[in-house]
């Protein structure tokens, strides 16, 4: 039988606010346990939540970016359950009135086609604290630093039909939230994590199969693996005549398997009801206008613009808009030097391979945008050849020159790398090489044009690479003929 | 001393007739002498009280004292008080020392009012008789065999027996007005949002409101105007100017339109209570008020609606008492579930558990629409009733409770009949309006005090206090005190 997979994702993106969703405590990661939990985060008797409007602004940015209506009069609700790292005994979340309503996200499939994935909703909620089971024999430690940190839960429609599509969607959301500056994109620290709802059904069947929810997966690689292994598991069960149970499962990356956490029967009744401590959030037209004004150019729009404005290939435009920082870097160099094509080649080529080798982010590049601008200007005005430029770049990467546009010039000057464009000087070199290689001159003249390359190489070598290659070509042709 | 108004006390303090330390010690002595049998205090904070009084005396000496500086008071034991046990009359919080001050406490501290102690109450403010306290029932000073009402029974009794000049309370369904009525003092529940709830241990968040007990409307006005105001820490407090409530006390009420809802005078109202209320209304007529008969047709739905909404919110609000971070934890739990079940099972009293169960049920999947949502719809209908009424009248009057203080133990086995004690008070909490109880006389049957309820439109506390004060200018019911505790003075 042929099977069809149906996948929906719930992504939890931690919003990059300075303070928590309902208290003034810092959200900084990695601090000493319980140093970032005030009386509100500890749910002391009598305390009350006060909404961090910055989180609302960020959620609204996300909504606008996915073309969704921003909930007017959206309401916070309490999701009630007991857990030691949930101090209130309820999570303040949103239930039937989320801040972001139906939107969408386009992904590119492997065959190059575009598929539109529906984003059902996105809502604001508090994160819980952490239970620490190690280090306390027979007991559990509670760290409430994360308690109350704002999350945007982004829920997709069950529109994805393979693990690859799910990852493509997750990456697009990941890219978007970072573009918007509302999430730090750090999967390892749990700032961006995902639950996947997976079900299978015979191809062509209309109704959905029973789904399993894979909880808390925090890498793209694991999402793909977990979904694939879960699809296999479900198909095996059905083909063996069994039935998939609706349950929550956990992916174990070490064993590459999913295992049951709890079944539907054991699932909590969360007893959602509107939180009486908070008023409905009023989203005014003025507020939305202000959010629109600060909305950065989005990846898709930037991609289109880069292709049109800078005449880039869709590959280059894709690479350069994959992150906002890369796009900003490219654009600042391209504008300053007036050579977008050359800039694109350098950013996607030399710069990105150096960054990869040293595992650096573009924002930490030793060669900043001004330095690269200076370098590209010298290639464009033929002060140096492309080959010499790589040597200069290497020097800049190693910290030579200065941190501004004059850096390349300083390196060219100090290393004497300036291109030779004096025809007389080049002719002198050619004459000498021709005199020393009469045999090859003969060969060329008798029709063996392949040896032309030999002469180019010799001239470049003699000039230590500094002779202008175009001029070398032109003069060689003249002299050899 | 105990017959002086706050204004008179303030004048005496500033004139140097006595110091705040002397005044505070005077009340501490009275508490020591009388509270053994009344049980109105859970914690007496003698040290803090005298330290506060000393600081107040310094302010008085320096000429920087305000109107309330140096006048001692008491707080209901659900207002968090920094460094002082805040128990909510529950075993659950019997060991809980609050690490911060409620906004109300902060404001009254700042006004220079020394805190005498924390008053007894029904556990987590759930009750109408003050019998649901882990620290024992509070006795009515007019008759020790009778209840003082609840849930703010300790504060009401402290003021009624003149153990404190004023005391804070909270009112979720009548918890200020009903004990004020049953103990013969003045108490006001402000409009929802007028007084900050920050630091008030939540029972039902959408209904809870802090207020004040005093022996007169003018005393209440002085404290209430200090307690009130927007608090950035409470998102449900309202950004609205607080008027000088004392300034309008003497405004004439000639032409005042008083609405009498027929639903408040029907079946179930004790005739001796009705008589007192009617006499009070006659008095208002003499003062030039005009009486308008009105109807609040959904009044009968207030009790069922309240007993869905309040427990629903409570079931969630009380989830934080889990034995994990503070409060009571059972001995030697074997695992997490055992710790939750026994800590909560042993830490909460019967009525609290009853309401948590009711509320949990009402919010459960499959029942939510039938209970919680329907109750919210009724709540809107009740608000609309009042809205219509206030198009025709300035204030609404009626009884506070259907009968006078009942005997201790009389209703403890019958929660429904206990819930009926709040029949005239609940609807106003559901609507979020302001209301007060003013002493209007005594039942001819049992000589127990009876209060007149005055209900005002949103944020019309000043108007209510003015209406009450005018009545207290021509009557002396509010000056009558239980002689066993005030006879010799």
């Amino acid at each position: 039988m042929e099977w069809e997979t149906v996948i929906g994702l719930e992504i939890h993106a931690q919003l990059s606010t300075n303070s928590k969703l309902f208290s003034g405590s810092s959200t900084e990661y990695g601090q000493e346990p319980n140093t970032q939990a005030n009386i509100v985060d500890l749910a002391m008797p009598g305390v009350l939540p006060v909404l961090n409007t910055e989180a609302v602004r960020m959620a609204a940015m996300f909504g606008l970016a996915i073309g969704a209506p921003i909930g007017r009069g959206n309401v916070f609700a309490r999701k009630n359950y007991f857990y030691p790292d949930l101090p209130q005994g309820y999570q303040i979340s949103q239930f039937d009135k989320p801040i972001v309503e139906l939107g969408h996200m386009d992904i590119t499939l492997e065959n190059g086609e575009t598929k539109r994935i529906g984003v059902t909703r996105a809502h604001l909620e508090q994160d819980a604290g952490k239970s620490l089971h190690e280090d306390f024999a027979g007991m559990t430690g509670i760290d409430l630093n994360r308690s109350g940190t704002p999350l945007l839960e982004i829920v997709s429609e069950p529109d994805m039909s393979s693990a690859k599509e799910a990852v493509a969607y997750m990456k697009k959301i990941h890219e978007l939230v970072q573009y918007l500056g509302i999430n730090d994109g750090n999967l390892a620290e749990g700032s961006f994590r995902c639950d996947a709802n997976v079900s299978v059904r015979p191809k062509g069947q209309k109704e959905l199969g029973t789904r399993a929810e894979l909880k808390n997966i925090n890498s793209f690689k694991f999402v793909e693996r977990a979904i694939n292994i879960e699809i296999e598991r479900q198909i095996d069960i059905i083909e063996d005549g069994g039935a998939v149970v609706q349950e929550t499962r956990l992916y174990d990356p070490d064993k590459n398997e999913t295992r049951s956490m709890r079944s539907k029967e054991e699932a909590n009744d969360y007893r959602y009801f509107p939180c009486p401590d908070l008023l409905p959030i009023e989203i005014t037209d003025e507020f939305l206008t202000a959010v629109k004004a600060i909305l950065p150019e989005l990846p898709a729009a930037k991609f289109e613009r880069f292709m049109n404005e800078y005449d880039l290939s869709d590959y280059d435009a894709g690479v350069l808009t994959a992150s906002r920082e890369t796009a900003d870097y490219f654009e600042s160099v391209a504008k300053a030097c007036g050579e977008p094509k050359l800039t694109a080649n350098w950013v996607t080529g030399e710069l990105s391979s150096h960054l990869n080798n040293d595992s650096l982010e573009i924002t930490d590049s030793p060669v900043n945008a001004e330095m690269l601008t200076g370098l590209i200007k010298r290639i464009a005005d033929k002060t140096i050849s492309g080959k010499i430029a790589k040597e200069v770049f290497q020097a800049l990467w190693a910290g030579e020159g200065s941190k501004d546009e004059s850096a390349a010039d300083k390196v060219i000057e100090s290393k004497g790398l300036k291109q030779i464009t004096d025809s007389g000087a080049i002719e002198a070199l050619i004459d000498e090489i021709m005199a020393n290689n009469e045999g090859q001159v003969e060969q060329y003249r008798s029709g063996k044009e392949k040896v032309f390359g030999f002469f180019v190489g010799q001239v470049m070598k003699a000039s230590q690479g500094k002779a202008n290659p175009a001029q070398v070509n032109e003069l060689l042709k003249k002299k050899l003929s | 001393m105990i017959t002086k108004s706050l204004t008179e006390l303030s004048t005496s303090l500033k004139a140097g007739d006595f110091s705040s330390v002397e005044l505070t010690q005077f009340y501490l002595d009275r508490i020591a002498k009388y509270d053994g049998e009344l049980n109105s205090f859970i914690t007496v904070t003698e040290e803090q009280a005298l330290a506060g009084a000393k600081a107040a005396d310094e302010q008085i000496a320096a000429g920087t004292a305000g109107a309330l500086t140096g006048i001692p008071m008491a707080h209901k034991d659900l207002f968090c008080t920094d460094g002082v046990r805040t128990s909510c009359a529950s075993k659950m919080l019997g060991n809980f020392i609050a690490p911060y001050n409620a906004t109300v406490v902060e404001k009254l501290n700042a006004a220079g009012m020394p805190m005498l102690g924390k008053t007894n109450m029904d556990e987590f403010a759930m009750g109408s008789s003050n019998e649901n306290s882990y620290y024992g029932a509070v006795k009515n000073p007019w008759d020790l065999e009778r209840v003082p009402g609840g849930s703010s029974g300790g504060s009401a009794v402290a003021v009624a027996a003149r153990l404190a000049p004023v005391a804070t309370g909270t009112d979720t369904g009548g918890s200020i007005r009903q004990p004020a009525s049953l103990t013969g003092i003045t108490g006001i529940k402000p409009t929802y949002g007028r007084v900050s709830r920050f630091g008030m241990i939540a029972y039902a968040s959408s209904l809870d409101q802090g207020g004040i007990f005093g022996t007169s409307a003018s005393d209440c006005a002085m404290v209430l105007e200090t307690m009130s105001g927007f608090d950035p820490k409470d998102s449900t407090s309202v950004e609205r100017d607080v008027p000088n409530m004392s300034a309008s006390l003497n405004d004439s009420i000639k032409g005042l339109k008083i609405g009498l809802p027929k639903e408040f005078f029907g079946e179930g109202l004790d005739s001796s209570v009705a008589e007192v209320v009617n006499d009070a209304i006659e008095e208002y007529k003499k003062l030039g008020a005009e009486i308008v008969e009105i109807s609040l047709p959904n009044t009968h739905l207030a009790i069922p609606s309240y007993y869905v909404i309040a427990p629903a919110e409570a079931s969630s609000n009380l989830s934080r008492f889990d034995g994990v971070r503070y409060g009571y934890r059972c001995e030697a739990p074997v695992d997490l579930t055992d710790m939750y079940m026994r800590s909560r099972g042993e830490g909460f009293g019967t009525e609290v558990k009853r309401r948590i169960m009711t509320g949990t049920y009402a919010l459960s999947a499959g029942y939510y629409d039938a209970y919680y949502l329907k109750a919210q719809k009724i709540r809107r209908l009740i608000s609309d009733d009042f809205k219509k009424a206030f198009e025709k009248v300035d204030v609404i009057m009626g009884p506070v409770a259907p009968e006078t203080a009942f005997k201790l133990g009389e209703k403890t086995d019958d929660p429904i009949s206990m819930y009926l004690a709040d029949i005239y008070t609940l609807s106003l909490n559901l609507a979020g309006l302001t209301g007060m109880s003013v002493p209007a006389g005594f039942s001819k049957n049992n000589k127990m005090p009876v209060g007149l309820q005055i209900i005002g439109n949103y944020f019309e506390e000043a108007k209510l206090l003015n209406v009450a004060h005018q009545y207290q200018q021509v009557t002396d019911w509010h000056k009558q005190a239980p002689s066993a505790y005030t006879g010799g003075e």
Side-chain angles (χ1 to χ4, degrees):
Chain A
M1 189 184 287
E2 262 202 271
W3 296 94
E4 198 170 63
T5 307
V6 179
I7 303 163
L9 295 187
E10 289 170 18
I11 292 170
H12 288 90
Q14 184 181 315
L15 295 176
S16 306
T17 53
N18 294 326
S19 57
K20 294 185 177 178
L21 186 53
F22 298 114
S23 91
S25 300
S26 165
T27 53
E28 204 181 325
Y29 180 81
Q31 302 303 298
E32 280 291 300
N34 298 313
T35 53
Q36 290 177 177
N38 65 18
I39 53 172
V40 175
D41 308 314
L42 289 166
M44 280 290 163
V47 298
L48 295 170
V50 176
L51 179 62
N52 181 344
T53 50
E54 188 63 10
V56 177
R57 193 180 61 80
M58 289 182 173
M61 284 173 83
F62 179 79
L64 291 172
I66 60 161
I70 310 302
R72 308 209 166 203
N74 64 100
V75 168
F76 282 103
R78 291 186 186 175
K79 178 181 178 179
N80 294 284
Y81 65 97
F82 285 99
Y83 206 70
D85 60 23
L86 186 75
Q88 294 165 146
Y90 53 84
Q91 177 192 35
I92 303 178
S93 180
Q94 297 190 294
F95 186 51
D96 52 354
K97 288 170 184 158
I99 179 157
V100 176
E101 295 165 38
L102 186 65
H104 58 80
M105 174 59 89
D106 291 341
I107 61 169
T108 308
L109 304 179
E110 278 179 308
N111 64 9
E113 281 175 25
T114 299
K115 181 171 178 180
R116 177 156 286 191
I117 307 295
V119 179
T120 319
R121 57 182 282 161
H123 65 254
L124 287 165
E125 63 182 25
Q126 310 173 283
D127 208 345
K130 278 182 187 160
S131 292
L132 309 167
H133 301 291
E134 300 89 28
D135 306 337
F136 305 95
M139 298 205 289
T140 299
I142 307 288
D143 177 7
L144 295 176
N145 282 355
R146 202 181 62 184
S147 169
T149 297
L151 297 177
L152 188 65
E153 181 173 331
I154 304 158
V155 182
S156 83
E157 293 284 291
D159 284 349
M160 287 152 282
S161 50
S162 72
K164 282 217 157 35
E165 283 184 27
V167 171
Y169 165 80
M170 189 177 166
K171 282 189 172 161
K172 279 290 226 179
I173 296 285
H174 186 249
E175 174 191 277
L176 176 63
V177 291
Q178 289 183 82
Y179 246 87
L180 296 171
I182 62 174
N183 175 267
D184 67 12
N186 195 324
L187 286 94
E189 289 176 5
S191 322
F192 190 90
R193 51 190 200 261
C194 148
D195 302 341
N197 285 301
V198 180
S199 66
V200 297
R201 62 183 169 192
K203 202 166 180 136
Q205 180 182 301
K206 268 218 141 130
E207 26 336 331
L208 293 168
T210 306
R211 65 167 198 269
E213 187 182 15
L214 307 177
K215 273 278 179 203
N216 262 329
I217 324 177
N218 66 348
S219 91
F220 297 120
K221 196 166 68 185
F222 291 164
V223 165
E224 186 166 348
R225 283 192 196 163
I227 291 174
N228 279 329
I229 207 83
E230 178 60 18
I231 295 170
E232 264 178 53
R233 191 189 69 89
Q234 292 188 11
I235 292 174
D236 284 351
I237 291 176
I238 301 171
E239 286 185 340
D240 288 347
V244 175
V245 184
Q246 187 177 331
E247 62 184 352
T248 304
R249 298 182 69 83
L250 203 64
Y251 175 66
D252 180 342
D254 296 329
K255 294 183 180 156
N256 194 34
E257 62 175 30
T258 65
R259 56 171 178 268
S260 181
M261 271 174 81
R262 57 175 181 266
S263 70
K264 192 190 173 190
E265 287 70 42
E266 299 166 68
N268 287 309
D269 175 357
Y270 291 120
R271 290 172 283 119
Y272 279 100
F273 76 107
C275 181
D277 289 330
L278 293 159
L279 305 174
I281 315 170
E282 232 184 289
I283 306 271
T284 60
D285 290 338
E286 293 73 39
F287 176 79
L288 283 183
T289 307
V291 174
K292 273 180 196 150
I294 54 159
L295 207 60
E297 186 181 24
L298 299 174
K302 205 181 271 279
F303 175 81
E304 287 296 324
R305 183 169 66 80
F306 275 22
M307 293 213 295
N308 296 331
E309 194 174 328
Y310 299 119
D311 199 22
L312 302 180
S313 67
D314 57 356
Y315 173 80
D316 280 350
V319 173
L320 292 172
T321 54
S323 85
R324 189 169 159 185
E325 288 75 20
T326 306
D328 289 349
Y329 185 105
F330 162 77
E331 207 161 17
S332 115
V333 177
K335 283 211 168 111
C337 72
E339 296 286 337
K341 289 286 271 184
L342 204 48
T343 307
N345 291 343
W346 274 85
V347 174
T348 60
E350 205 64 15
L351 176 68
S352 94
S353 73
H354 273 76
L355 291 171
N356 278 341
N357 286 341
D358 292 5
S359 301
L360 290 173
E361 295 297 323
I362 198 161
T363 42
D364 302 320
S365 170
V367 178
N368 64 31
E370 288 185 1
M371 294 159 80
L372 188 64
T373 300
L375 179 62
I376 289 174
K377 278 186 175 170
R378 292 301 157 262
I379 303 169
D381 69 10
K382 303 199 163 54
T383 306
I384 52 171
S385 67
K387 197 170 170 211
I388 293 291
K390 289 187 181 178
E391 197 181 328
V392 176
F393 183 87
Q394 186 58 46
L396 296 177
W397 189 268
E400 290 182 46
S402 49
K403 286 287 163 197
D404 54 25
E405 206 180 302
S406 69
D409 286 338
K410 285 176 184 152
V411 171
I412 292 165
E413 181 67 37
S414 71
K415 291 193 185 297
L417 296 174
K418 196 168 171 185
Q419 187 158 263
I420 300 165
T421 50
D422 172 0
S423 303
I426 298 174
E427 278 182 57
L429 286 172
I430 293 175
D431 289 342
E432 196 187 330
I433 286 160
M434 282 173 68
N436 292 337
N437 296 282
E438 282 177 2
Q440 279 86 347
V441 175
E442 263 326 291
Q443 281 179 10
Y444 181 81
R445 286 185 174 151
S446 65
K448 274 200 161 184
E449 292 194 1
K450 272 206 284 188
V451 289
F452 188 76
F454 164 79
F455 287 106
V456 174
Q458 289 296 308
V459 177
M460 292 311 287
K461 192 176 167 189
S463 71
Q464 292 165 306
K466 289 184 283 183
N468 178 309
Q471 275 177 293
V472 170
N473 273 319
E474 193 190 322
L475 292 170
L476 261 175
K477 274 192 181 142
K478 209 164 78 185
K479 291 216 173 240
L480 283 169
S481 61
Chain B
M1 193 84 89
I2 56 172
T3 57
K4 284 183 193 285
S5 69
L6 295 194
T7 310
E8 288 163 346
L9 286 175
S10 187
T11 307
S12 295
L13 284 165
K14 282 171 188 156
D17 299 342
F18 45 79
S19 68
S20 174
V21 169
E22 285 165 334
L23 180 64
T24 302
Q25 190 60 57
F26 168 80
Y27 279 105
L28 288 169
D29 291 344
R30 286 184 59 81
I31 294 167
K33 185 170 172 193
Y34 296 119
D35 204 46
E37 57 187 15
L38 293 172
N39 199 26
S40 68
F41 281 84
I42 290 174
T43 306
V44 179
T45 51
E46 183 166 355
E47 215 172 289
Q48 280 96 336
L50 291 172
K54 195 158 170 276
D57 282 332
E58 281 159 16
Q59 279 191 300
I60 292 165
T64 57
L68 295 170
T69 306
I71 300 170
M73 64 162 317
H75 285 293
K76 185 176 183 179
D77 205 22
L78 62 56
F79 286 95
C80 282
T81 41
D82 195 3
V84 174
R85 175 172 65 177
T86 301
S87 75
C88 250
S90 181
K91 181 180 178 185
M92 183 57 87
L93 290 178
N95 62 1
F96 178 67
I97 309 292
Y100 74 104
N101 277 329
T103 298
V104 162
V105 173
E106 200 65 38
K107 285 188 169 196
L108 296 178
N109 279 354
M113 302 188 82
M115 177 175 78
L116 296 166
K118 307 291 295 288
T119 59
N120 206 343
M121 54 185 279
D122 280 304
E123 183 180 2
F124 285 105
M126 299 179 191
S128 310
S129 69
N130 218 313
E131 291 166 292
N132 302 330
S133 168
Y134 177 62
Y135 298 94
V138 180
K139 312 287 168 54
N140 194 317
W142 294 92
D143 177 351
L144 292 178
E145 285 178 12
R146 290 177 187 271
V147 303
S151 67
S152 313
S155 286
V157 169
V159 173
R162 274 52 172 182
L163 307 184
V166 285
T168 54
T170 62
D171 191 317
T172 307
S175 285
I176 288 176
R177 290 157 290 154
Q178 188 249 17
S181 172
L182 269 48
T183 59
I185 59 167
T186 306
I188 179 163
K189 174 235 176 263
T191 309
Y192 185 80
R194 176 57 102 187
V195 170
S196 169
R197 291 189 298 115
F198 184 77
M200 246 172 69
I201 298 177
Y203 157 27
S205 315
S206 73
L207 302 162
D208 294 344
Q209 185 60 203
I212 192 79
F213 292 99
T215 52
S216 68
S218 63
D219 282 4
C220 289
M222 275 178 82
V223 185
L224 185 59
E225 65 196 17
T226 308
M227 282 166 71
S228 298
F230 173 68
D231 179 4
K233 291 176 188 163
D234 175 4
S235 309
T236 62
S237 71
V238 176
E239 242 174 318
R240 194 182 168 113
D241 287 343
V242 178
N244 181 334
M245 297 175 189
S246 303
S248 51
L249 288 173
N250 290 313
D251 291 0
S252 162
I253 58 165
K254 216 175 176 78
L256 180 83
K257 284 190 182 138
I258 298 173
L260 300 182
K262 60 175 193 242
E263 292 79 7
F264 280 33
F265 293 90
E267 203 189 326
L269 178 63
D270 181 283
S271 62
S272 73
V273 172
E275 204 174 304
V276 171
V277 171
N278 287 329
D279 287 351
I281 288 158
E282 285 306 313
E283 206 63 55
Y284 273 105
K285 281 189 195 161
K286 285 187 216 156
L287 287 166
E290 191 185 313
I291 305 301
V292 183
E293 187 169 316
I294 58 166
S295 174
L296 300 169
N298 292 294
T299 299
H300 65 291
L301 296 175
I303 287 183
S305 161
Y306 174 91
Y307 279 101
V308 168
I309 293 169
E313 292 181 8
S315 71
S316 176
N317 283 334
L318 270 61
S319 292
R320 66 188 57 200
F321 306 111
D322 57 5
V324 174
R325 299 167 314 286
Y326 50 76
Y328 178 77
R329 182 188 288 181
C330 66
E331 290 286 336
V334 298
D335 60 19
L336 182 61
T337 307
D338 182 48
M339 181 173 94
Y340 282 154
M341 291 184 60
R342 283 201 291 125
S343 299
R344 290 170 63 81
E346 294 162 15
F348 290 136
T350 310
E351 182 61 25
V352 172
K353 281 188 269 197
R354 181 181 292 126
R355 294 196 195 188
I356 289 175
M357 296 297 287
T358 309
T360 302
Y361 183 82
L363 290 176
S364 294
Y367 300 99
Y368 181 84
D369 290 6
Y371 293 107
Y372 186 78
L373 268 192
K374 185 164 271 178
Q376 290 291 8
K377 282 180 192 153
I378 292 172
R379 187 172 186 175
R380 217 159 305 135
L381 294 178
I382 288 170
S383 299
D384 290 346
D385 283 357
F386 278 110
K387 210 171 147 193
K388 278 189 208 122
F390 280 117
E391 284 166 10
K392 285 183 268 177
V393 301
D394 301 312
V395 295
I396 294 170
M397 288 187 188
V400 174
E403 52 183 16
T404 56
F406 42 89
K407 292 268 174 68
L408 285 155
E410 191 182 321
K411 298 188 177 192
T412 41
D413 295 329
D414 185 0
I416 303 293
S417 89
M418 187 80 91
Y419 295 172
L420 286 169
D422 297 330
I423 189 158
Y424 306 128
T425 48
L426 292 176
S427 53
L428 183 156
N429 295 76
L430 291 167
L433 295 161
T434 177
M436 65 188 295
S437 175
V438 180
F442 295 84
S443 158
K444 67 178 180 202
N445 295 343
N446 58 16
K447 309 283 176 249
M448 292 301 287
V450 173
L452 168 74
Q453 181 167 218
I454 314 176
I455 301 168
N457 211 340
Y458 298 104
F459 300 102
E460 297 216 329
E461 292 81 9
K463 158 88 73 184
L464 283 198
L465 290 160
N466 162 228
V467 169
H469 180 72
Q470 289 307 302
Y471 176 75
Q472 291 179 341
Q473 296 309 101
V474 295
T475 58
D476 68 351
W477 302 115
H478 63 291
K479 290 185 175 159
Q480 305 204 19
S483 57
Y485 305 98
T486 55
E489 296 167 51

